[in-house]
Amino acid sequence: MAALDAQAAAPDFWNNSEQAQKILKERAELAEPLSAWRKQLQELDDVKVFAELAAEGANDAEAEARTKLEDVGKALERMELQRKLGGEHDAGNAIVTVHPGAGGTEAQDWAEMLLRMYLRWVERHGFKAELVDTQPGEGAGIKNATITVEGPYAFGYLKAEAGIHRLVRISPFDSNARRHTSFASIFVYPEIDEAVEVDINEADLRIDTYRSSGAGGQHVNKTDSAVRLTHLPTGIVVACQNERSQHKNKSMAMKILRSRLYELEKQKQRERMAEMDKAKKDIAWGSQIRSYVLHPYRLVKDHRTGIEIGNADAVLDGDLDQLIEAYLQAQAA
């Protein structure tokens, strides 16, 4: 950190803008864990103060010391987990897409429940989420949605959510109150830094513009500001409709397309490595990773780690940390 600060203080620091941005980014990545470490040192000092007060007979001081010590322990566990998130893009932002499986309104409603779950998780962590594209379902739910998530290690955490999510419940759309099983898929991509080159030939793109389908004011639904990009060689389709400007929507759509093409290439590399090592047991993107049972009992079970949580409502309200951390710990091990 001190070495980077010295470089940033040099008179010719901004002569090379690209190099300067890299240094500032590296500094920012170091600042977050250092800040967390210093905060826990301060918390430990507070624990010592309360312990001394307890030794002198102060009421409730021992309980306060124990509570603070437990909080430090939990914070340390989170910091250790982040140290294990050493993937190339783990520290950066994420792009999350939600798609319902077959099943019409049932699956579309489940997809919307998952979207809300992730937005609540983002809110709990103080991250920033932006809904860049959504297509409402017919009657209820959504046909698809894409959000960007900004925050430290957003991709490192959310990559644990990629896969098929299964819901079992009494259907609110069935007049006979029968039990239904619904599926939805979650895909998670890293937001690719501009420094990473992803070559996209304009001739390989089909660009369509259309009117936004979301709630808008006097402008947004009256002009063809929404943009849909189709990458012809791969068939990847991305869309953005949350901005008033067609130019801004196209820019965001290109950003998402770059991330998806990059992840596609990384997936191809993983598949080639898997062919060379048949014993490799990576979780496939299309596997069922978790079940949410709301009837006849309430339970969320992660099939990769065996973790079970009885408070299904809390999980659906964004309390995902136990599930995510168990998966990441298993992967790190």
Side-chain angles (χ1 to χ4, degrees):
M1 187 79 146
L4 292 173
D5 283 341
Q7 291 182 55
D12 60 348
F13 178 67
W14 287 103
N15 288 356
N16 185 337
S17 178
E18 186 175 332
Q19 181 65 20
Q21 292 290 351
K22 287 182 180 179
I23 290 172
L24 291 178
K25 181 184 177 187
E26 185 179 354
R27 187 191 183 285
E29 290 174 354
L30 287 172
E32 193 272 333
L34 276 174
S35 175
W37 174 67
R38 289 174 179 138
K39 180 181 179 183
Q40 299 318 313
L41 284 181
Q42 181 60 52
E43 292 292 321
L44 277 180
D45 285 340
D46 292 346
V47 169
K48 292 174 185 175
V49 170
F50 280 108
E52 290 169 1
L53 291 172
E56 295 171 2
N59 293 333
D60 300 328
E62 182 179 346
E64 186 68 27
R66 290 184 180 278
T67 299
K68 278 188 170 290
L69 194 59
E70 288 176 6
D71 290 342
V72 171
K74 292 175 183 177
L76 180 60
E77 288 177 1
R78 289 194 297 270
M79 291 163 66
E80 288 178 335
L81 179 61
Q82 287 186 354
R83 290 284 294 162
K84 293 176 181 177
L85 293 175
E88 186 177 1
H89 301 289
D90 282 359
N93 301 330
I95 298 169
V96 181
T97 64
V98 185
H99 297 281
T105 302
E106 285 287 341
Q108 291 172 11
D109 186 56
W110 172 222
E112 187 171 41
M113 290 170 65
L114 286 174
L115 175 63
R116 179 189 178 277
M117 181 178 78
Y118 292 120
L119 290 174
R120 290 286 291 122
W121 180 86
V122 168
E123 184 181 323
R124 284 167 175 260
H125 284 260
F127 291 175
K128 178 184 176 184
E130 185 175 359
L131 184 64
V132 298
D133 182 50
T134 184
Q135 187 176 358
E138 296 166 0
I142 56 173
K143 291 184 177 178
N144 61 67
T146 301
I147 60 172
T148 58
V149 180
E150 296 180 22
Y153 293 91
F155 176 70
Y157 288 120
L158 287 171
K159 68 181 182 183
E161 294 299 294
I164 305 297
H165 295 246
R166 171 177 172 260
L167 172 70
V168 179
R169 65 172 174 175
I170 297 294
S171 170
F173 307 102
D174 188 334
S175 57
N176 294 316
R178 290 172 294 190
R179 190 170 67 167
H180 285 247
T181 299
S182 305
F183 295 90
S185 58
I186 304 296
F187 295 91
V188 184
Y189 311 95
E191 185 178 285
I192 301 304
D193 191 281
E194 293 295 331
V196 177
E197 291 188 17
V198 178
D199 190 17
I200 300 176
N201 188 341
E202 288 282 343
D204 291 338
L205 293 179
R206 186 175 75 234
I207 304 174
D208 300 308
T209 59
Y210 56 100
R211 294 188 181 183
S212 171
S213 60
Q218 296 180 1
H219 168 83
V220 71
N221 292 328
K222 294 185 178 180
T223 63
D224 292 342
S225 59
V227 174
R228 181 187 299 109
L229 301 180
T230 304
H231 187 249
L232 300 175
T234 60
I236 291 175
V237 178
V238 298
C240 183
Q241 58 176 309
N242 68 311
E243 299 286 351
R244 290 164 59 93
S245 159
Q246 185 183 113
H247 175 74
K248 289 183 178 179
N249 279 330
K250 182 182 177 184
S251 177
M252 176 58 77
M254 284 293 290
K255 189 176 187 178
I256 295 171
L257 179 59
R258 290 176 71 249
S259 293
R260 291 192 60 177
L261 287 172
Y262 180 86
E263 183 60 26
L264 178 64
E265 185 57 36
K266 295 289 283 186
Q267 179 68 16
K268 289 178 181 177
Q269 291 178 13
R270 287 193 289 267
E271 289 171 357
R272 287 195 290 268
M273 290 297 293
E275 288 178 8
M276 290 185 280
D277 182 7
K278 297 296 185 183
K280 189 168 182 168
K281 293 181 173 60
D282 279 352
I283 302 297
W285 285 94
S287 63
Q288 179 178 310
I289 66 166
R290 193 177 298 149
S291 292
Y292 307 72
V293 181
L294 304 183
H295 185 85
Y297 51 87
R298 303 181 82 80
L299 182 73
V300 176
K301 179 174 181 178
D302 195 295
H303 301 293
R304 302 163 300 178
T305 61
I307 291 289
E308 296 183 353
I309 298 177
N311 192 347
D313 292 328
V315 173
L316 290 170
D317 195 42
D319 189 4
L320 298 170
D321 288 351
Q322 184 180 350
L323 294 161
I324 290 175
E325 290 173 11
Y327 171 77
L328 294 176
Q329 293 281 14
Q331 290 294 94

